[in-house]
Amino acid sequence: MGFWLGTLVFLIFEALGFGVVHFSGKPRSAKLLNHTLVATTVVCCWLMWGIVYLAQKYPLVRPILQG
């Protein structure tokens, strides 16, 4: 899976999370907090995934072959 495809998956997760929060029967102030929590969670997970993906694709230390 490429970087941009993975980013698209996280954008879909964020849209689904916003939809669930928006259509819940909670008051407006609780929805605002929940929107913030969903956005923060998805952005943090995307950032962690992106760092790990790019670290594996472009390692800083090259492996040393023995033999």
Side-chain angles (χ1 to χ4, degrees):
M1 177 174 9
F3 182 77
W4 294 113
L5 183 60
T7 300
L8 179 65
V9 169
F10 278 98
L11 286 174
I12 291 170
F13 284 156
E14 185 142 2
L16 288 173
F18 278 164
V20 168
V21 169
H22 182 70
F23 293 113
S24 67
K26 296 186 178 184
R28 182 173 165 82
S29 61
K31 284 184 183 181
L32 181 62
L33 175 64
N34 289 340
H35 276 292
T36 304
L37 291 174
V38 166
T40 303
T41 301
V42 172
V43 166
C44 287
C45 288
W46 171 79
L47 189 61
M48 187 63 195
W49 172 82
I51 289 170
V52 170
Y53 179 83
L54 291 175
Q56 289 179 1
K57 189 169 183 176
Y58 304 108
L60 294 177
V61 178
R62 302 214 182 253
I64 300 172
L65 298 176
Q66 301 284 334

